[in-house]
Amino acid sequence: MSETSVLSSNPVRAAEAAGPQLGPLGLFTVLLGAALPLIDFFIVNVALPTIEHDLAAGTALLELVVAGYALSYAVLLVLGGRLGDMYGRRRLFLIGMAAFGLTSLACGLAPDAWTLVGARVAQGAAAALMVPQVLATIQAATAGPRRARAMSLYGATAGLSMVAGQILGGVLVSADIAGTGWRAIFLVNVPVALIGLVLAARSVPKTRSANPAPVDVPGTLLLTVALLTLLAPLTEGRAAGWPLWTWGALAVFPVAAVAFYRVERRADRQGRTPLVPPSLFALLSLRRGLALVLPFSIGFGGFMFVVAVALQQGLGMGAVASGMALVPMALAFFGASLAGPRLVVRYGTRIVPAGGALQAVGIAVLALAVWRGWPDLGFVELMPGVALAGFGQGLQLPVIFRIVLSEIPPQRAGVGSGVMVTTQQSALALGVATLGSLFLSLVTSAGMRQALTVTLLVQLGMIVLTTLLSLRLPRTVN
């Protein structure tokens, strides 16, 4: 069936095909909105020692600075996507961008650790309003090659933001601009958010779902409980000494997860639109794509956290030097991401397992360098491993994002993007919690070299899993 006949038989798709288009400036603006929250997830890693000193914060409070942001961001993402479908994606993007700027200002001016934790929770909530609108706008306001290019740039932006966060954090903390120290990592968001607001008002098209569904209150509450009872104890348990509440929360998690699934399935069968429609998972591309996002992001999140700690505390690198050590990863990721669209046209989704194989080689090379060269490691010794890993990641992530969203209809763009970004963000937080806890536990018992080597080998196992799963992907992607 031709595209014209498909559009003529589907009024919603026909209307959206003739609707507003996302231009280059609009694409840059929404990608800026996607980059800010990811940068802020990782930018804190290199600033934690300075925050601990300035605010007299203990280990548990420091982890809350990271976890509070991650938790509120993760639990509200799907709701943010639904609100964008209902009230307009540009409107929610503008509200989220403004709130992100204000909460960043609150973080930068926080007088004590608990105020910083509260501001970080609010910052995560602001990010959850803004980020789902990015992919939803791309899905609703682009098509064909323009959408493929936009999705590749989104994947490149996501990967680069995770690496650039730690590089930028190191530079800003060391620069100590006007005596702001670590506060600069948050205050820098304020002018960027103002620029984003001006650009968004001028260049981002208005899109919304043709048939927006009301907020699924029971589903929202149950998803929140499920994510909180999983991520909160795993993130805070080690630092808090695994008190009773952590085990109680983990016991509640499977109950909340099963209840959430049953409530959503019932709503789906009754013709209502649940927060996360189980019928959405009937899409093979989404189901298999999300199965890759999970281990990929767990490994990525854990790697970035562990490397930040190992380079600064283990090798004694300063904030700038530890950030610069990741520059080869960022450059390689960016180059692979730009080459991705052409490679997909020629080789299809086979570049995903190829990227996994390259990433695995890079992590293996890095683990070998750590084992043989510790503690006399520098930029030159680290470069081959991180560059290979970055190139492999750049071949995988943009294509995986495209696969996940490829079959989602435009009217469900907000829900689909919310589900994908929630999976990614939850997995990043889970990676910090699990691989980070493993690493920190091994440091005390076996030393930094053994701890880093073992953690890298565990990540290598996850990369192998991702690569094997990628062999089951559809051969082509829209």
Side-chain angles (χ1 to χ4, degrees), residues 190-462:
V190 178
V192 176
L194 289 173
I195 293 169
L197 285 170
V198 173
L199 293 177
R202 295 171 58 90
S203 63
V204 176
K206 294 181 179 179
T207 66
R208 59 180 295 170
S209 175
N211 298 294
V215 172
D216 174 14
V217 176
T220 301
L221 292 176
L222 285 170
L223 179 62
T224 300
V225 171
L227 289 175
L228 282 176
T229 53
L230 174 65
L231 296 177
L234 289 178
T235 304
E236 286 297 302
R238 187 198 59 83
W242 296 104
L244 185 60
W245 73 263
T246 58
W247 299 109
L250 288 173
V252 170
F253 164 68
V255 178
V258 170
F260 171 70
Y261 173 73
R262 289 182 174 176
V263 166
E264 299 298 274
R265 185 177 62 177
R266 185 186 309 119
D268 217 6
R269 288 177 173 176
Q270 292 174 351
R272 294 181 282 119
T273 305
L275 185 71
V276 180
S279 58
L280 208 60
F281 290 88
L283 299 174
L284 183 68
S285 57
L286 180 135
R287 192 169 65 248
R288 292 187 175 175
L290 288 181
L292 296 182
V293 170
L294 194 60
F296 182 95
S297 299
I298 288 173
F300 204 138
F303 174 84
M304 297 302 291
F305 174 79
V306 166
V307 165
V309 175
L311 295 184
Q312 290 189 84
Q313 296 184 9
L315 296 180
M317 289 186 178
V320 172
S322 65
M324 289 300 106
L326 296 175
V327 167
M329 174 177 278
L331 294 177
F333 190 105
F334 187 64
S337 298
L338 292 181
R342 294 190 298 274
L343 293 173
V344 169
V345 170
R346 184 169 182 179
Y347 299 108
T349 60
R350 285 175 292 180
I351 70 167
V352 177
L358 283 174
Q359 185 189 4
V361 172
I363 294 298
V365 168
L366 185 58
L368 182 62
V370 169
W371 183 255
R372 295 180 62 182
W374 191 274
D376 300 316
L377 290 176
F379 183 86
V380 173
E381 291 79 13
L382 295 171
M383 182 174 66
V386 297
L388 268 175
F391 194 84
Q393 290 165 337
L395 290 179
Q396 295 173 81
L397 193 62
V399 181
I400 292 172
F401 284 166
R402 281 180 60 185
I403 291 167
V404 171
L405 298 175
S406 61
E407 296 179 340
I408 295 176
Q411 61 268 29
R412 283 192 167 183
V415 175
S417 62
V419 169
M420 191 189 76
V421 181
T422 297
T423 303
Q424 180 197 23
Q425 183 61 34
S426 300
L428 288 172
L430 196 58
V432 173
T434 53
L435 293 182
S437 294
L438 171 66
F439 171 74
L440 294 173
S441 299
L442 290 173
V443 166
T444 58
S445 61
M448 188 72 73
R449 183 183 76 160
Q450 288 85 346
L452 182 55
T453 303
V454 170
T455 307
L456 288 172
L457 292 176
V458 171
Q459 189 197 359
L460 180 60
M462 300 186 72

Side-chain angles (χ1 to χ4, degrees), residues 81-89 91-92 208-209 212-215:
R82 173 64 59 83
L83 292 175
D85 287 349
M86 291 175 63
Y87 298 111
R89 292 155 191 151
R91 177 183 297 178
L92 265 292
R208 59 180 295 170
S209 175
V215 172

Side-chain angles (χ1 to χ4, degrees), residues 99-138:
F100 194 83
L102 289 172
T103 53
S104 295
L105 179 63
C107 289
L109 299 178
D112 54 61
W114 280 110
T115 304
L116 179 58
V117 170
R120 285 283 284 173
V121 171
Q123 190 185 34
L129 290 179
M130 176 170 59
V131 172
Q133 319 317 324
V134 176
L135 283 170
T137 299
I138 290 173

